[in-house]
């Protein structure tokens, strides 16, 4: 006769609780994603902080430079021919042009806070885009802020070879009594604000004049037109 298996223990018996506890799955205790950092947040990247600080510094420097520029920004100098005198202007073979002239210019520095330092300039007279006097050197000049100075360069004296077409055109204009000339000055300049000096920059000045001139005339010329000179920086 087969042995009967013992009946199962009643529900709630200690043996049943122990078995149920043994059957529960064992879960590992979850660790925070960054156990070395309190609160479970990722640590800040020091490179981000450095980049942010550098960006702030550059922004502050740029703002300061812009403010200084707006306060101390220099203005373009202004030039104008006030008078002219001719001592010689003729043509000769094969052909040459011999011209000697003196011009009086007003140079104005409109800047309220910046002085202008001019290096030695090169100056000559041109007719229809062709130089008719040798280039002459003008001395350096220091022009204070909000000031106007007079320049009186004497140019020419030597024969300059030109094309026959140009010599003929000049002779015809002299016979007519009206000649258009251009005074050209080139060099370098820089601005000075207190102890600060800007870098040197090239400057070119072109002064167009329409003058009354008859062949062989010597003396002060009549300016029929003398607009402000063009200044190129």
């Amino acid at each position: 006769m087969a042995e009967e298996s013992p009946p199962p223990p009643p529900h709630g018996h200690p043996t049943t609780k122990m078995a149920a506890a043994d059957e529960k799955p064992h879960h590992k205790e979850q660790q925070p994603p960054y156990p070395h950092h309190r609160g479970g947040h990722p640590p800040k990247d020091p490179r981000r902080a450095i980049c942010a600080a550098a960006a702030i510094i550059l922004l502050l420097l740029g703002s300061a430079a812009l403010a200084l520029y707006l306060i101390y920004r220099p203005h373009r100098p202004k030039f104008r021919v006030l008078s002219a005198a001719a001592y010689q202007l003729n043509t000769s073979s094969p052909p040459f042009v011999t011209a000697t002239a003196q011009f009086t210019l007003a140079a104005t520095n409109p800047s309220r806070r910046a002085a202008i330092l001019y290096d030695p300039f090169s100056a000559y007279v041109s007719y229809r885009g062709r130089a008719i006097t040798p280039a002459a050197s003008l001395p350096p000049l220091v022009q204070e802020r909000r000031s106007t100075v007079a320049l009186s360069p004497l140019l020419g004296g030597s024969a300059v070879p030109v094309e026959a077409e140009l010599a003929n055109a000049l002779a015809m204009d002299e016979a007519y009594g009206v000649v258009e000339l251009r005074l050209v000055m080139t060099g370098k300049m820089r601005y000075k604000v207190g102890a600060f000096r800007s870098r040197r920059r090239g400057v070119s000045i072109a002064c167009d004049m329409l003058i009354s001139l008859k062949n062989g005339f010597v003396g002060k010329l009549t300016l029929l037109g003398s607009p402000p000179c063009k200044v190129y920086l």
Side-chain angles (χ1 to χ4, degrees), residues 123-223:
Y124 62 91
V125 179
S126 70
Y127 171 76
R128 295 195 176 186
R130 178 74 165 79
I132 58 173
T133 66
S137 179
L138 305 184
L141 173 66
V142 178
Q143 188 171 12
E144 297 298 332
R145 57 187 184 273
R146 298 296 294 270
S147 65
T148 299
V149 297
L151 308 176
S152 297
L154 178 63
L155 307 176
S158 301
V160 176
V162 296
E163 297 82 2
E165 182 180 356
L166 188 76
N168 293 334
L170 180 58
M172 291 178 62
D173 286 347
E174 284 187 277
Y176 183 71
V178 178
V179 180
E180 184 176 1
L181 299 177
R182 170 176 284 187
L183 173 63
V184 180
M185 296 183 293
T186 58
K188 291 186 177 182
M189 55 166 283
R190 51 183 170 166
Y191 293 101
K192 179 179 179 294
V193 180
F196 172 76
R197 297 187 180 189
S198 69
R199 64 177 180 84
R200 284 181 171 86
R201 60 175 64 185
V203 57
S204 179
I205 304 158
C207 305
D208 293 320
M209 298 163 285
L210 193 64
I211 61 178
S212 175
L213 176 63
K214 284 288 186 178
N215 190 14
F217 177 83
V218 175
K220 187 175 180 179
L221 302 174
T222 300
L223 294 177

Side-chain angles (χ1 to χ4, degrees), residues 17 21 33 35 37 50 63-64 67 85 88 97-98 114 116 144 152 181 194 231:
K17 292 181 179 181
H37 187 77
I50 294 174
S63 301
Q88 186 180 19
V97 171
T98 305
I116 301 179
E144 297 298 332
S152 297
L181 299 177
V231 180

Side-chain angles (χ1 to χ4, degrees), residues 108-122:
T108 301
N109 175 15
S111 299
R112 293 186 297 174
R113 295 180 176 87
I116 301 179
L117 309 179
Y118 293 100
D119 288 350
F121 269 30
S122 176

Side-chain angles (χ1 to χ4, degrees), residues 37-53:
H37 187 77
R38 294 182 180 180
H41 297 291
K44 293 183 179 180
D45 190 350
R47 291 175 296 182
R48 288 187 178 182
I50 294 174
C51 291

